[in-house]
């Protein structure tokens, strides 16, 4: 595995890969890598000739009161995990390399970003789409791998790539979970023992919503109420939102049919966790 830190170098390497007739896979991450990230790398390694993963804690996607300064970092562990999961080129730029000059240009996606994570974290998605746009422009034509764990992000990025005709195929990858159902997240390391024990309530709530759909429930309000009630049973959990939406455009639905996503965001003390589950009825 080769580690590169400059835009010029990673671009030259990946241009060379394509000139030789090989395909490129891109896995954007913020580091503190875990088995969820590893699953994206494994899939990219299966489907592409050369895999590049980026490790960049993107300051643009943190709102001012968020955890940018304390975001977990593990450079040595990240390099090992990436190498073990088929990454050929690790792109690890400094903030100055990516945004040395504070950007005057940002890329933002309308409508899809005004709710859920966008409502709770204003400016977050413009930060995400700006950095993903930049990473795609740096990497060039490729397949880009994103986790379903961040469902809204996946929908937003897919739309940006379509709207702006990027030569990039977006690939969504299934959420990797702990044995007790908690979705893996770099932010899980913030949870104390009690909050960690309580956190699987998110997945139980989503699963209860999905089970009620499987049992024939078609009323959105009743599914939401069921999911809320389950989360409220857990004293350490503070609900941010739950909803049932159309999977492709995140519009909340009342009469449930088609491809749906159950979404949840819940706080445990200062730590905010998100998760989601897909259901087709
Ligand atoms: P992050 O480092 O949190 O920005 O995540 C980088 C990529 O990994 C994003 O596309 C995430 O959706 C994805 N990811 C994070 N957690 C998981 C997980 N538990 N399962 C699958 N993908 C994940």
């Amino acid at each position: 595995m080769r580690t590169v830190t400059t835009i010029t170098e990673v671009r030259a390497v990946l241009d060379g890969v394509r000139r030789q007739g090989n395909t490129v896979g891109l896995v954007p991450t913020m580091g503190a890598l875990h088995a969820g990230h590893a699953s994206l790398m494994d899939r990219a390694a299966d489907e592409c000739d050369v895999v590049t993963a980026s490790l960049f804690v993107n300051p643009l996607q943190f709102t001012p009161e968020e955890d940018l300064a304390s975001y977990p970092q593990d450079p040595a562990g990240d390099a090992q995990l990436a190498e073990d999961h088929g990454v050929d080129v690790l792109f690890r730029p400094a903030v100055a390399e990516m945004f040395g000059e504070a950007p005057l240009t940002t890329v933002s996606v309308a409508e899809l970003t005004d709710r859920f994570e966008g409502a709770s974290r204003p400016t977050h998605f413009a930060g995400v789409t700006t950095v993903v746009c930049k990473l795609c422009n740096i990497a060039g034509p490729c397949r880009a791998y994103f986790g379903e764990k961040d469902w809204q992000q996946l929908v937003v990025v897919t739309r940006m790539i379509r709207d702006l005709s990027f030569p990039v195929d977006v690939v969504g990858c299934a959420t990797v979970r702990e044995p007790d159902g908690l979705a893996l997240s770099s932010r899980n390391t913030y949870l104390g023992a009690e909050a960690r024990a309580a956190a699987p309530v998110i997945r139980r709530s989503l699963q209860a919503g999905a089970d009620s759909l499987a049992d024939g429930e078609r009323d959105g309000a009743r599914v939401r109420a069921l999911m809320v009630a389950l989360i409220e049973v857990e004293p350490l959990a503070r609900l941010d939102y739950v909803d049932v939406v159309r999977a492709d455009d995140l519009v909340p639905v009342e009469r449930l049919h088609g491809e749906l996503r159950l979404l949840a965001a819940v706080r445990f003390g200062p730590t905010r966790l998100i998760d989601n589950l897909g259901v087709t009825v």
Side-chain angles (χ1 to χ4, degrees), residues 28-31 34 36-37 39-40 71 145-147 149-150 153 173-176 183-184 186:
T29 82
M30 296 207 301
H34 52 62
H37 300 109
S39 74
L40 271 54
Y71 195 79
Y145 294 80
F146 293 88
K149 153 79 169 47
D150 300 282
Q153 171 174 283
C173 302
T175 301
V176 177
L184 295 190
S186 307

Side-chain angles (χ1 to χ4, degrees), residues 61-95:
Q61 73 186 69
F62 289 75
T63 53
E65 68 280 5
E66 285 183 343
D67 53 344
L68 173 61
S70 59
Y71 195 79
Q73 293 196 28
D74 178 13
D78 288 349
Q80 190 62 56
L81 183 142
E83 182 152 31
D84 290 348
H85 290 273
V87 172
D88 303 292
V89 182
L90 192 62
F91 178 47
R92 177 179 267 169
V95 174

Side-chain angles (χ1 to χ4, degrees), residues 26 51 67 85 100-101 107 127 135 157 180 187 189 191 204 208 220 240 256-257 263 268 276:
L26 171 67
V51 177
D67 53 344
H85 290 273
E101 249 182 310
V107 178
L135 288 168
V157 165
D180 63 8
R187 291 192 166 100
T189 56
L191 298 170
R204 286 201 303 279
D240 189 340
L256 303 175
H257 65 91
L263 308 175
F268 296 86
N276 67 86

Side-chain angles (χ1 to χ4, degrees), residues 211-251:
D211 290 347
S212 75
L213 279 158
D215 290 344
E217 180 63 77
R218 293 293 176 269
D219 182 87
R222 281 212 289 268
V223 172
R224 285 181 202 100
L226 175 71
M227 292 195 294
V228 168
L230 260 163
I231 286 170
E232 285 178 344
V233 165
E234 173 48 62
L236 293 181
R238 242 182 335 120
L239 180 69
D240 189 340
Y241 62 77
V242 293
D243 217 325
V244 193
V245 300
R246 284 204 303 246
D248 59 345
D249 62 4
L250 309 170
V251 172

